[in-house]
Amino acid sequence: MSKVTQEAYDEEVRELMEDLGMTEEEAIQDAIKGYEMKGMDLSNIVTDLVLEKKYEKILTCLERLSRAVNDKSYECAPEMLQELRTELDKDIKDRVFAGKRKCYNILMDILKGCRKNHATFKSALETITSLMTGHPDLLDDDGIALQIEILEGHYDTATLQCLLRWIRECCIKHELNRQRIFETNIFEKLKKILVRADVDAYEVKDACSVIRAFVLDDDIRHEYGKAHEHATIMAKGALDILTGLLKRFMKDARVVGDLMITLAALVVRNEFCQEVEEAGGLKFVQDIMTDYPDSEKLNWQALKLLKALAGNDTVKSHIVTSGCAPLIVSAISRMKKSENIVAAGLSCISALTLRSSSNAGVFYDCGAAQVIVDAMKAYPNSVNVLKQASWAVRNMSVRNKSESKEFLACGVEEVLRNALRLHGSKLDDNVKAALRDLGLKVDLKERWMGKGVSLSNERS
């Protein structure tokens, strides 16, 4: 078996990258496969030398940090950690490469070995968070145990924030990590942070971000997750705490939005919506939308919470009778340049008018029909906006036939048919349902047709 020289191999990889536009990783895999198919021996060459050169800074940092761990001497560690973090923050490829070079293990050793060295410990937490951003597969049982151990310790606010951000990154797009961390009873530890008399705004924000991470359903590798189960457990134990914090931090725009969006993620059952309303949550949302009329982020978060609370029919009725309808319509109209606000507002109208003729009537009185049609005209290429608008049109029309003529007067038919022509199957069902409930002609597809076979009920 003939051997390949290092020079020939390196040249092959470079040609694949330059001529075919491959990445380093793709070119290396392709080159190795090609040589192996030819029966050539690669045992005498460094196959990832090209990568070694590209990631030289990462390798240097890891080598020096590994030496610091072995020598138990961390004087240069903060500087090296900062340099490593800068490299890791560049791209996911840098993080994957570092992960393959035992970066996770080295950082874990540093965290275990220098807990009394505040600067190094905090920097190591920040660096392991950078390493695992978009790359959460590295977490192991040892890492989870360390996270809980740190969370139970008495650390300053800045260190606690770094830890919470690391935990959150481990949960993004990783269902098994979420479940394994949640099973450590971490929620009770997060509650202890939130109920502290001296808890500050930053701790509340980061604790809420972890709570929301536990109710994500974003890991395509797992068809079924435990988002609903996690939300139910946390709602039972924290709705009163979160609504209490709403009042406490009402004047702090940095915190109230996080609290609202966290409540929206947790009210997954009928009784939870009722509990939030009874605790003053609905009044609070109204005050936020009134007091912060120009804050896009706060209004978006308030609309999200209103939609979630509309899951309870009684609360849904109270939302409208308490005067939220004009606030919602005004927010869409006022911030029409924000696609997020428009989509959230339309979704809110759709939820509030579902199976409720009286609520729909209130929205007609607020001028919602014109605002909805204007939104569709403003975002002809946004499938999300058009879908939410179609649902709102349908829900406002199906039980309010006479009032639905307002949509027709605003030119909704042309807008809906244009959306159907432009987006086809993506909006087919939604737009056709809206056209049908407006009393307009529409070609509906029959999903199933019988074959005309006679059925017999005779017994043998």
Side-chain angles (χ1 to χ4, degrees):
M1 182 183 289
S2 59
K3 290 184 179 290
V4 181
T5 65
Q6 187 71 55
E7 292 77 12
Y9 173 82
D10 290 345
E11 181 61 27
E12 175 70 13
V13 172
R14 273 191 288 272
E15 285 181 2
L16 288 170
M17 290 167 59
E18 292 172 4
D19 297 345
L20 300 180
M22 292 184 176
T23 64
E24 290 95 336
E25 290 89 343
E26 291 169 340
I28 286 170
Q29 291 176 4
D30 198 78
I32 292 173
K33 187 183 295 184
Y35 283 123
E36 287 176 345
M37 288 177 68
K38 295 175 184 176
M40 303 185 79
D41 184 5
L42 297 171
S43 61
N44 65 321
I45 66 167
V46 181
T47 57
D48 56 0
L49 189 61
V50 177
L51 292 180
E52 299 279 345
K53 291 176 182 177
K54 178 180 178 181
Y55 299 117
E56 189 172 354
K57 284 187 179 180
I58 291 177
L59 291 168
T60 300
C61 290
L62 292 178
E63 184 181 344
R64 293 182 64 181
L65 288 170
S66 183
R67 197 179 308 133
V69 170
N70 293 332
D71 298 341
K72 293 182 171 54
S73 175
Y74 299 105
E75 289 80 5
C76 70
E79 180 185 347
M80 283 296 99
L81 287 166
Q82 175 60 56
E83 192 172 325
L84 176 59
R85 192 158 65 251
T86 299
E87 294 301 309
L88 296 176
D89 287 340
K90 287 180 178 178
D91 194 271
I92 184 65
K93 292 178 183 178
D94 298 87
R95 299 192 281 278
V96 170
F97 177 83
K100 291 178 179 177
R101 292 302 187 277
K102 306 296 182 184
C103 182
Y104 175 82
N105 304 84
I106 294 169
L107 293 174
M108 284 288 292
D109 288 339
I110 293 173
L111 286 168
K112 291 176 183 177
C114 64
R115 298 190 195 191
K116 294 182 180 179
N117 186 328
H118 176 264
T120 303
F121 188 75
K122 178 173 172 291
S123 187
L125 279 175
E126 292 173 331
T127 307
I128 202 167
T129 302
S130 288
L131 172 68
M132 298 182 69
T133 297
H135 189 37
D137 288 358
L138 295 170
L139 187 69
D140 56 12
D141 290 339
D142 201 23
I144 294 174
L146 181 62
Q147 288 175 343
I148 300 305
E149 191 178 328
I150 298 170
L151 193 58
E152 291 175 335
H154 299 286
Y155 291 92
D156 61 284
T157 295
T159 301
L160 183 60
Q161 280 184 270
C162 292
L163 171 67
L164 292 174
R165 290 169 187 172
W166 177 28
I167 294 172
R168 178 183 177 276
E169 288 302 330
C170 292
C171 294
I172 303 296
K173 294 186 178 179
H174 204 298
E175 179 62 27
L176 291 183
N177 281 357
R178 279 194 287 267
Q179 293 183 21
R180 288 158 61 211
I181 296 173
F182 196 81
E183 287 167 1
T184 64
N185 203 26
I186 188 175
F187 177 57
E188 292 302 316
K189 299 168 182 60
L190 293 174
K191 276 172 60 177
K192 288 180 180 178
I193 295 173
L194 294 173
V195 299
R196 277 200 347 248
D198 62 342
V199 65
D200 69 20
Y202 297 105
E203 289 173 320
V204 172
K205 281 174 63 66
D206 286 316
C208 282
S209 72
V210 174
I211 288 173
R212 293 196 302 276
F214 285 130
V215 297
L216 290 173
D217 185 18
D218 58 357
D219 190 345
I220 60 174
R221 296 171 294 186
H222 294 268
E223 187 175 355
Y224 301 105
K226 290 191 174 182
H228 190 276
E229 183 179 322
H230 291 167
T232 300
I233 293 170
M234 293 190 291
K236 288 179 178 177
L239 288 184
D240 58 336
I241 296 171
L242 293 172
T243 49
L245 288 169
L246 276 177
K247 298 167 187 172
R248 178 174 168 184
F249 286 95
M250 180 152 188
K251 299 300 180 184
D252 194 334
R254 298 170 302 172
V255 184
V256 289
D258 274 82
L259 288 167
M260 286 193 295
I261 206 71
T262 304
L263 283 168
L266 296 184
V267 289
V268 294
R269 281 174 32 177
N270 215 38
E271 65 267 29
F272 298 156
C273 301
Q274 193 82 44
E275 187 177 336
V276 171
E277 190 208 359
E278 291 172 354
L282 177 53
K283 175 66 167 60
F284 180 84
V285 173
Q286 286 178 285
D287 291 342
I288 287 296
M289 295 183 75
T290 303
D291 295 344
Y292 298 92
D294 300 320
S295 172
E296 179 184 334
K297 186 174 182 180
L298 279 177
N299 276 270
W300 176 79
Q301 290 161 326
L303 290 167
K304 285 291 202 182
L305 180 52
L306 282 179
K307 185 197 173 179
L309 293 174
N312 178 303
D313 284 344
T314 303
V315 177
K316 179 166 70 176
S317 177
H318 291 168
I319 290 171
V320 175
T321 56
S322 66
C324 284
L327 290 175
I328 295 167
V329 174
S330 175
I332 300 171
S333 181
R334 199 172 58 252
M335 287 179 270
K336 56 190 174 188
K337 291 185 179 179
S338 167
E339 184 175 340
N340 287 332
I341 288 286
V342 171
L346 294 174
S347 178
C348 207
I349 294 174
S350 173
L352 290 168
T353 56
L354 179 64
R355 299 187 305 274
S356 177
S357 175
S358 58
N359 283 1
V362 175
F363 275 101
Y364 277 114
D365 292 340
C366 294
Q370 184 67 63
V371 169
I372 293 170
V373 175
D374 287 345
M376 297 178 79
K377 290 178 180 178
Y379 294 95
N381 297 314
S382 172
V383 171
N384 186 34
V385 167
L386 295 171
K387 183 180 292 185
Q388 301 298 341
S390 297
W391 287 345
V393 170
R394 180 187 179 187
N395 291 346
M396 286 179 63
S397 302
V398 67
R399 294 167 186 256
N400 300 65
K401 294 299 183 184
S402 61
E403 293 162 298
S404 68
K405 293 175 183 176
E406 287 189 32
F407 278 114
L408 300 178
C410 295
V412 73
E413 181 177 8
E414 182 183 359
V415 177
L416 287 169
R417 295 197 187 280
N418 284 340
L420 196 56
R421 280 193 291 270
L422 186 61
H423 299 287
S425 60
K426 293 179 182 178
L427 288 171
D428 192 80
D429 291 343
N430 307 292
V431 170
K432 287 184 177 180
L435 289 168
R436 178 198 63 206
D437 291 331
L438 283 165
L440 298 170
K441 185 179 178 180
V442 59
D443 295 323
L444 296 172
K445 294 179 181 177
E446 289 190 66
R447 297 297 182 189
W448 179 84
M449 291 185 294
K451 296 182 179 180
V453 178
S454 298
L455 298 177
S456 174
N457 196 33
E458 295 179 0
R459 293 183 181 180
S460 57

